[in-house]
Amino acid sequence: MKFFIDTADLEAIAEIKDMGMCDGVTTNPSLMAKAGRRDTDVLLREICDLVQGPVSGEVVATEADEMIAEGERLAAISDHLVVKIPTTYEGLKAIAALSRQDIRVNATLVFSPAQALLVAKAGAAYCSPFVGRLDDIGHDGMELIEQVVTIYGEYGLETEVLVASVRHPNHVIEGAMMGADVATIPPKVIKQLVQHPLTDKGLAAFLADWDRLQEG
Ligand code: E4P
């Protein structure tokens, strides 16, 4: 499973990249706002310079023609920039048009298997079902991942399933068990993935025994 880092925070990306855990990056307008950088194209270029894998930058236009123009501008930032397009009717037109130009698209804000099927048919490189936001409204986000993996597998669709809106380690592990291609993970969850209370307890016991040995 590939790990993308779901942030626009350069320092956090650099730290996780150095641990070998960063195959790519996803950003969105909210993450850009959180990073506090208004020069978003410059920031995307800096992220692309740091990470050689797919880096998603999202359009803010809502009409197809404007989405396409914005997507073309974003794609010119780097050859590994992936254009994120919201999964709306207008978005589908933009996904198809950009994909025809060999610009890779990440279809974002996917909440149903129907949307996932449509974005794959339109040629999206990635389909991003938002599991955490579905859980937030009492649905089962991981059930959607299972449905999308099944549908894509059934028809040999090449669009990669990208688990998005990850809130906790189980989203990543369940996604991996279902065969999702990618999880985009906030830095906080990367840290949680390595934690286990028995590791901490075991280490504390080892160090205490070592100290006792030194004291003779
Ligand atoms: C995905 O690419 C999105 O940026 C992200 O996963 C959204 O997550 P959120 O629901 O925590 O905002």
Side-chain angles (χ1 to χ4, degrees), residues 13-22 190-191:
I13 297 167
E15 185 176 316
I16 295 164
K17 182 196 161 200
D18 284 348
M19 291 189 297
M21 301 292 157
C22 177
I190 292 279
K191 286 189 182 144

Short mmCIF file of all heavy atoms in Angstrom, two decimals, residues 13-22 190-191:
data_model
loop_
_atom_site.label_atom_id
_atom_site.label_comp_id
_atom_site.label_asym_id
_atom_site.label_seq_id
_atom_site.Cartn_x
_atom_site.Cartn_y
_atom_site.Cartn_z
N ILE A 13 6.04 17.02 6.09
CA ILE A 13 6.28 16.15 4.93
C ILE A 13 7.75 15.70 4.92
O ILE A 13 8.05 14.52 4.72
CB ILE A 13 5.94 16.87 3.61
CG1 ILE A 13 4.44 17.21 3.55
CG2 ILE A 13 6.34 16.03 2.41
CD1 ILE A 13 4.05 18.19 2.43
N ALA A 14 8.66 16.65 5.16
CA ALA A 14 10.10 16.33 5.12
C ALA A 14 10.44 15.28 6.18
O ALA A 14 11.19 14.33 5.91
CB ALA A 14 10.92 17.60 5.33
N GLU A 15 9.88 15.43 7.38
CA GLU A 15 10.18 14.48 8.47
C GLU A 15 9.71 13.08 8.10
O GLU A 15 10.45 12.10 8.25
CB GLU A 15 9.50 14.96 9.76
CG GLU A 15 9.84 14.11 10.97
CD GLU A 15 9.23 14.65 12.25
OE1 GLU A 15 9.29 15.87 12.47
OE2 GLU A 15 8.68 13.85 13.03
N ILE A 16 8.49 12.98 7.57
CA ILE A 16 7.93 11.66 7.25
C ILE A 16 8.63 11.06 6.02
O ILE A 16 8.87 9.86 5.95
CB ILE A 16 6.40 11.78 7.05
CG1 ILE A 16 5.75 12.20 8.39
CG2 ILE A 16 5.80 10.47 6.57
CD1 ILE A 16 4.35 12.73 8.28
N LYS A 17 9.01 11.92 5.10
CA LYS A 17 9.74 11.45 3.92
C LYS A 17 11.07 10.81 4.33
O LYS A 17 11.46 9.77 3.83
CB LYS A 17 10.01 12.63 2.98
CG LYS A 17 10.71 12.25 1.69
CD LYS A 17 11.29 13.43 0.99
CE LYS A 17 12.36 12.97 0.02
NZ LYS A 17 13.28 14.02 -0.35
N ASP A 18 11.76 11.45 5.29
CA ASP A 18 13.04 10.93 5.74
C ASP A 18 12.91 9.55 6.38
O ASP A 18 13.88 8.80 6.45
CB ASP A 18 13.70 11.90 6.73
CG ASP A 18 14.28 13.11 6.01
OD1 ASP A 18 14.38 13.06 4.76
OD2 ASP A 18 14.64 14.10 6.68
N MET A 19 11.71 9.23 6.87
CA MET A 19 11.49 7.89 7.45
C MET A 19 11.08 6.88 6.38
O MET A 19 10.81 5.72 6.69
CB MET A 19 10.38 7.95 8.51
CG MET A 19 10.77 8.70 9.75
SD MET A 19 9.52 8.52 11.04
CE MET A 19 8.11 9.29 10.29
N GLY A 20 11.01 7.32 5.13
CA GLY A 20 10.64 6.41 4.03
C GLY A 20 9.15 6.12 3.97
O GLY A 20 8.72 5.13 3.37
N MET A 21 8.33 6.98 4.59
CA MET A 21 6.89 6.72 4.67
C MET A 21 6.07 7.60 3.72
O MET A 21 4.86 7.66 3.85
CB MET A 21 6.37 6.97 6.10
CG MET A 21 7.01 6.13 7.15
SD MET A 21 6.56 4.40 6.97
CE MET A 21 7.95 3.67 7.81
N CYS A 22 6.73 8.30 2.82
CA CYS A 22 5.98 9.26 2.00
C CYS A 22 6.13 8.94 0.52
O CYS A 22 7.14 9.25 -0.10
CB CYS A 22 6.50 10.67 2.29
SG CYS A 22 5.72 11.93 1.28
N ILE A 190 0.13 8.99 11.16
CA ILE A 190 1.40 8.28 10.91
C ILE A 190 2.05 7.96 12.26
O ILE A 190 2.52 6.84 12.49
CB ILE A 190 2.37 9.14 10.05
CG1 ILE A 190 1.84 9.31 8.62
CG2 ILE A 190 3.78 8.55 10.06
CD1 ILE A 190 2.09 8.15 7.68
N LYS A 191 2.05 8.93 13.16
CA LYS A 191 2.64 8.71 14.50
C LYS A 191 1.85 7.65 15.26
O LYS A 191 2.43 6.77 15.91
CB LYS A 191 2.66 10.02 15.29
CG LYS A 191 3.73 10.97 14.79
CD LYS A 191 3.92 12.18 15.68
CE LYS A 191 4.97 13.11 15.07
NZ LYS A 191 4.71 14.52 15.27
#
